[in-house]
């Protein structure tokens, strides 16, 4: 397979423009663009401009100055957080707070920082629980909260954004609240060092004790490592090292057909199932970032198999039988993200080839007349009327960076938040 990096980078950029133009034409100012019905979609009663904020730094990195400026104007003119809506603390943090902070760092306009501060102040009441772990939803206007049953990913994927805001504003409250939440969660790990899937943040009691590296848990581990690397926070280093040791001991599963991670009971380590999720494909990138390249490479080979067995990646498989458990493809980035990290660390052309295969299948099966659509099923390839903002924030960004010239972004000087928003390490001197 021939790899022409320059051509591929240009191709990704053109596909980004295809998706962004669809958004601009049919959904400008709204949260998302629905690519089949060609209609706008808002997550809540009012728009929070999720797609333009999430996509902003991708446009900066791709050098799309005109579109970047249009998005910026829209954000400054339209965006207000003074809205009587209950929002997801996790989603709004990783997409909007992370997006605004990275926009500020790349663009320099202080209005981005002001918006970040305003948003974070409105999210802070979420941490007013008995344990300090956040409620799932908070009302941006009133500070009222909802959702005491939360999960490790939504509790533990806040410190990169909140911590960065503390570094940028000099106000420690953001760092302190998000870190307390992380520590409180970590402190409730089981005797064998694992966390479960859901927990009551008022009582601190686990509700569902299934442990995995997938849905509802994945980015908790990611942020233990990234918070250590970004802030040089030694508590996070210790929490990361202790946690990942248990994960590798109890969840890793070497089979004839590859290296996988299973589901176990958090107290006993007893096997529950052999499901592997598209979300767990972020782990090769996490292992690579932590210095464990051997494990990263092995797991990425399995993730590649998960994608190529079905021509495009299903949401869940049973790796024991290699049968699909959940057939949707949500335009997710994780498998691509890991190929990008592995290429960065190894310079092995194999990862460029992987990226090319991923790109070609996304174009082949998900491209629509004026955007990109999720798949209802990777078997029938029937499309679904949704183009999540992370397709522009992450999937296309990682594809672009995989092929783009080296000077597009200095990888070693940044940490990507879980939504692919790069945060410069030097804000944390
Ligand atoms: C994104 O919002 C983030 O990457 C998150 O950590 C997981 N889900 C989506 C992408 O799949």
């Amino acid at each position: 397979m021939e790899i022409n990096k320059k051509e591929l980078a240009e191709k990704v950029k053109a596909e980004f423009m295809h998706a962004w133009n669809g958004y601009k034409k049919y959904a400008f100012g709204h949260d998302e663009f629905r690519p089949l019905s060609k209609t706008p979609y808002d997550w809540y009663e009012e728009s929070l401009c999720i797609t333009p904020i999430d996509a902003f730094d991708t446009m900066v990195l791709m050098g799309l100055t005109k579109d970047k400026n249009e998005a910026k104007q829209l954000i400054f003119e339209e965006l207000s957080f003074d809205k009587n809506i209950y929002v997801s603390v996790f989603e709004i943090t990783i997409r909007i707070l992370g997006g605004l902070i990275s926009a500020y760092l790349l663009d320099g306009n202080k209005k981005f920082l002001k918006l970040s501060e305003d948003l974070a102040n409105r999210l802070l009441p979420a941490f007013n629980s008995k344990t300090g772990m956040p409620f799932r939803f908070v009302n941006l206007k009133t500070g009222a909260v909802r959702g005491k049953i939360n999960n490790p990913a939504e509790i533990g994927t806040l410190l990169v954004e909140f911590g960065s805001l503390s570094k940028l504003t000099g106000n420690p409250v953001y760092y302190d609240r998000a870190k307390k939440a992380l520590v409180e969660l970590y402190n409730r790990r089981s005797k064998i060092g694992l966390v479960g899937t859901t927990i009551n943040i008022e009582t601190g009691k686990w509700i569902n004790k299934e442990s995995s590296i997938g849905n509802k848990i994945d980015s908790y581990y990611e942020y233990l490592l990234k918070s250590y690397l970004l802030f040089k926070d030694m508590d996070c280093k210790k929490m990361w090292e202790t946690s990942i040791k248990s994960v590798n001991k109890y969840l890793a599963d070497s089979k004839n057909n590859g290296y996988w991670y299973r589901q176990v009971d958090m107290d006993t380590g007893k096997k529950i199932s052999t499901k592997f999720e598209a979300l767990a494909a972020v782990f090769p990138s996490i292992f690579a970032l932590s210095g464990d390249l051997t494990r990263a490479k092995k797991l990425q080979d399995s993730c590649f198999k998960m994608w190529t067995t079905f021509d495009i990646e299903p949401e869940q498989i049973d790796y024991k039988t290699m049968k699909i458990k959940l057939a949707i493809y949500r335009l997710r980035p994780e498998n691509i993200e890991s190929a990008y990290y592995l290429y960065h660390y190894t310079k092995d052309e194999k990862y460029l080839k992987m990226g090319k295969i991923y790109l070609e299948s996304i174009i082949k099966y998900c491209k629509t007349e004026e955007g990109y659509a999720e798949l209802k099923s990777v078997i029938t390839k029937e499309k679904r009327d949704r183009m999540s903002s992370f397709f522009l924030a992450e999937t296309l960004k990682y594809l672009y960076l995989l092929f783009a010239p080296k000077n597009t972004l200095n990888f070693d000087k940044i940490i990507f938040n879980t939504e692919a928003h790069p945060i410069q390490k030097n804000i944390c001197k």
Side-chain angles (χ1 to χ4, degrees), residues 34 87 190 206 208 230-231 239 251 263 362 366 398 408:
R34 290 204 147 150
V87 302
S190 68
W206 288 99
N208 179 333
L230 180 58
F231 306 121
M239 293 192 287
L251 274 68
Q263 290 67 41
I362 292 174
C366 304
Y398 287 127
T408 306

Side-chain angles (χ1 to χ4, degrees), residues 322-334:
M322 287 309 277
K323 293 255 157 57
I324 292 176
K325 280 183 81 90
L326 189 55
I328 54 173
Y329 172 57
R330 292 206 49 208
L331 296 170
R332 287 201 192 280
E334 289 78 8

Side-chain angles (χ1 to χ4, degrees), residues 90-91 94-95 157 218-219 222 279 332-334 337 390 394 418-420:
F90 162 75
E91 294 289 359
I94 65 168
R95 298 186 200 220
T157 314
D218 49 357
S219 47
E222 179 184 346
L279 286 167
R332 287 201 192 280
E334 289 78 8
E337 177 176 0
F390 57 67
E394 297 195 72
T418 195
E419 189 79 2

Side-chain angles (χ1 to χ4, degrees), residues 87-90 123 125-130 132-138 144-150 154-155 158 201-202:
V87 302
S88 157
V89 175
F90 162 75
L123 295 175
F127 295 97
N128 295 339
S129 69
K130 289 191 184 114
M133 292 187 282
F135 287 87
R136 285 191 71 209
F137 302 98
V138 64
V145 289
R146 276 182 193 163
K148 60 182 183 204
I149 308 303
N150 209 339
E154 298 191 33
I155 295 165
L158 306 167
I201 53 94
E202 287 282 53

